[in-house]
Amino acid sequence: MGAGHAHKLYRQGRSPVHELPPHCKLAAVLCFVLVVVSTPREAVWAFGLYALLLAAVAAIARVPAGFLLRRMLIEVPFVAFAVLMPFVVPGDQVRFLGLSLSVPGLWGAWNVLAKGTLGVAASVLLASTTELRALLLGLQRLRLPPMLVQIASFMIRYGDVITDELRRMSIARRSRGFEARGVRHWGVLGKSAGALFIRSYERGERVHLAMMSRGYTGTMPVIEEMTASRAQWTSAAALPLSALAVCLLGWTL
């Protein structure tokens, strides 16, 4: 896979969560999210317990609450969508602070906010304790289609390259006195986007030819093989199994 690439979500540290094999953590997070999604929205208390489980994992991983909350801001667009639901979903109405709100819309907004927030929090915790290179190795270990793993690998490797190319194009435009100030400049920005696409495509062709000339046959060599012990799988399973117990209790009450 090559050298690892540090990312802003990752927090360097040594903890039991950091040391778990990546495929164990990936499987645990996936199962946890499936359990959360399967929980009835009326079991409000269950989502509170899920949040406590994630808080316990964050404490074990020594991930500060501020670090976690700042990186959960990616959820803001979904929050905005959820806020609109009580106003647009038809159904029985209730009055609150002079506003007429839809009861089904309120339940729908709660459903989106609770489950979405827990899913984002679990994903951020995963990224905070696992390097990108390790995540790719974990996906490969879980038998994800090799082509998808390679696409993700190249996306990570060349994302910064494309970003730098876009930055140089922006500097070149500004050095020639261009400033995007309105709709009339959208044409220039559109041409810049087209030029960036062509440059990226040509770079991809050159990289592919270089790989073929070095013996690439469709799969990337695995430098290190990751394995997990029974104890590590058991540790990783603690989160989804605890959540499953809460979910079953929520369905029975």
Side-chain angles (χ1 to χ4, degrees):
M1 287 281 181
H5 289 247
H7 59 94
K8 295 180 180 179
L9 289 178
Y10 180 69
R11 181 178 175 84
Q12 188 71 34
R14 294 184 61 84
S15 72
V17 180
H18 282 80
E19 294 172 359
L20 282 176
H23 51 289
C24 294
K25 289 186 279 188
L26 282 165
V29 169
L30 175 61
C31 293
F32 173 78
V33 171
L34 289 176
V35 170
V36 170
V37 172
S38 302
T39 304
R41 62 187 184 183
E42 293 80 10
V44 177
W45 57 271
F47 297 101
L49 292 180
Y50 293 150
L52 290 177
L53 287 174
L54 290 180
V57 174
I60 295 173
R62 301 185 182 93
V63 177
F67 180 92
L68 184 64
L69 292 174
R70 285 194 301 272
R71 280 146 184 80
M72 288 177 61
L73 292 177
I74 191 173
E75 190 192 9
V76 170
F78 299 97
V79 172
F81 170 75
V83 169
L84 293 176
M85 294 183 68
F87 299 97
V88 298
V89 175
D92 296 336
Q93 301 288 314
V94 295
R95 302 289 298 181
F96 181 74
L97 297 178
L99 299 175
S100 180
L101 305 177
S102 165
V103 174
L106 287 171
W107 277 116
W110 161 252
N111 195 48
V112 171
L113 285 176
K115 296 180 180 180
T117 300
L118 289 169
V120 170
S123 301
V124 171
L125 272 176
L126 173 65
S128 301
T129 57
T130 316
E131 294 181 346
L132 280 176
R133 176 174 174 272
L135 281 174
L136 293 173
L137 290 173
L139 291 173
Q140 186 168 309
R141 180 69 179 174
L142 292 174
R143 300 295 188 267
L144 196 74
M147 185 60 66
L148 293 180
V149 177
Q150 291 180 49
I151 291 173
S153 175
F154 284 115
M155 180 184 70
I156 293 169
R157 291 172 184 272
Y158 290 98
D160 292 337
V161 176
I162 302 304
T163 301
D164 288 339
E165 187 74 26
L166 181 62
R167 179 180 56 82
R168 288 193 294 269
M169 293 172 64
S170 177
I171 293 174
R173 289 196 304 269
R174 291 199 301 270
S175 67
R176 290 164 175 80
F178 174 81
E179 289 291 342
R181 298 176 180 174
V183 177
R184 67 179 184 278
H185 292 138
W186 286 5
V188 177
L189 297 177
K191 292 177 182 178
S192 298
L196 178 64
F197 172 79
I198 293 174
R199 292 184 184 183
S200 302
Y201 184 84
E202 291 176 345
R203 185 187 295 272
E205 289 290 313
R206 293 195 300 270
V207 170
H208 181 257
L209 290 175
M211 292 171 61
M212 295 294 291
S213 67
R214 289 164 174 79
Y216 175 73
T217 58
T219 58
M220 298 293 287
V222 178
I223 299 176
E224 58 180 298
E225 187 70 22
M226 289 191 171
T227 58
S229 65
R230 181 175 298 179
Q232 289 173 322
W233 275 112
T234 302
S235 299
L239 175 65
L241 288 178
S242 300
L244 180 60
V246 174
C247 179
L248 293 177
L249 186 59
W251 278 107
T252 55
L253 294 181

